[in-house]
Amino acid sequence: MSYFVIIISAILVNNIVLMQFLGICPFLGVSKRLSTAAGMAGAVTFVMVLATIVTYIIQKLVLEPFSIQFLQTIAFILIIASLVQLVEIILKKASPSLYQALGIFLPLITTNCAILGVAIMTIQKNFNLLEGVVFAVASSIGFGLALIIFAGIREHLDLMNVPKGLKGTPIALITAGILAMAFMGFSGLV
């Protein structure tokens, strides 16, 4: 598969949040402010790429040779949780300022199903390691793009005169639906 097709498909056509509905919890929970959305997007990018590399290697060197692919989901969850903890420990020691900047985002990433979804889709789509990394980077860019657009819209909605019954979560869900429909316009692109 062409790298260009993988990138365009992951960012726009099959956006991990808006088309595949993975990572909805951080999408709705961290999107109230643009600054927190950007921080979460950066943290997700880092962990998603790292998790894809490690899970791919474990799949090819452990799960497939020993014919224990049925343990894939459990193994990937444990790997992702361990990676997040390891990254948190390393950042705390090596770069306290970056650790403070990421703050609550690192523990939140442990429960982000978009990370697990990308790792599993990399295997399901029979990508090699390089294609898997490109897919992970593009998926995280798509996640960040959707998250930042949504956060910007939500910040503007706070300044608008929204009917009382729609304030908060209801208008956020309506906005997310409209944003998903806007991304559906890219479906014929690839």
Side-chain angles (χ1 to χ4, degrees):
M1 186 180 255
S2 164
Y3 293 112
F4 180 74
V5 172
I6 292 172
I7 292 168
I8 296 301
S9 176
I11 293 174
L12 299 174
V13 178
N14 293 319
N15 187 286
I16 199 83
V17 177
L18 300 173
M19 294 296 128
Q20 298 185 21
F21 308 114
L22 296 173
I24 295 291
C25 182
F27 180 71
L28 293 173
V30 186
S31 62
K32 291 181 182 174
R33 297 286 161 246
L34 203 51
S35 59
T36 57
M40 182 60 143
V44 163
T45 300
F46 179 71
V47 173
M48 191 177 286
V49 171
L50 190 61
T52 300
I53 292 169
V54 174
T55 55
Y56 183 87
I57 291 169
I58 294 296
Q59 176 76 23
K60 296 300 179 186
L61 297 180
V62 177
L63 299 178
E64 287 179 6
F66 293 108
S67 297
I68 52 175
Q69 293 96 329
F70 60 90
L71 293 174
Q72 181 187 58
T73 304
I74 295 273
F76 284 12
I77 289 171
L78 291 173
I79 290 167
I80 291 166
S82 301
L83 279 174
V84 170
Q85 291 300 314
L86 184 67
V87 166
E88 192 171 355
I89 290 168
I90 290 171
L91 281 179
K92 194 173 188 179
K93 295 279 185 190
S95 178
S97 60
L98 182 58
Y99 175 76
Q100 290 295 331
L102 290 176
I104 189 71
F105 300 129
L106 280 174
L108 280 176
I109 291 171
T110 305
T111 59
N112 188 344
C113 60
I115 308 281
L116 178 63
V118 167
I120 290 174
M121 282 188 276
T122 298
I123 302 302
Q124 287 177 343
K125 294 181 181 203
N126 291 321
F127 287 152
N128 61 35
L129 184 57
L130 184 58
E131 289 172 336
V133 170
V134 169
F135 177 67
V137 170
S139 293
S140 62
I141 290 170
F143 177 83
L145 177 69
L147 186 64
I148 289 170
I149 290 171
F150 188 57
I153 293 171
R154 285 187 75 177
E155 279 188 355
H156 283 298
L157 281 174
D158 288 343
L159 304 173
M160 298 293 152
N161 188 14
V162 177
K164 186 178 179 183
L166 292 177
K167 283 193 185 284
T169 305
I171 195 69
L173 291 174
I174 292 169
T175 304
I178 293 170
L179 189 58
M181 287 191 306
F183 270 70
M184 282 178 63
F186 295 114
S187 63
L189 202 56
V190 266

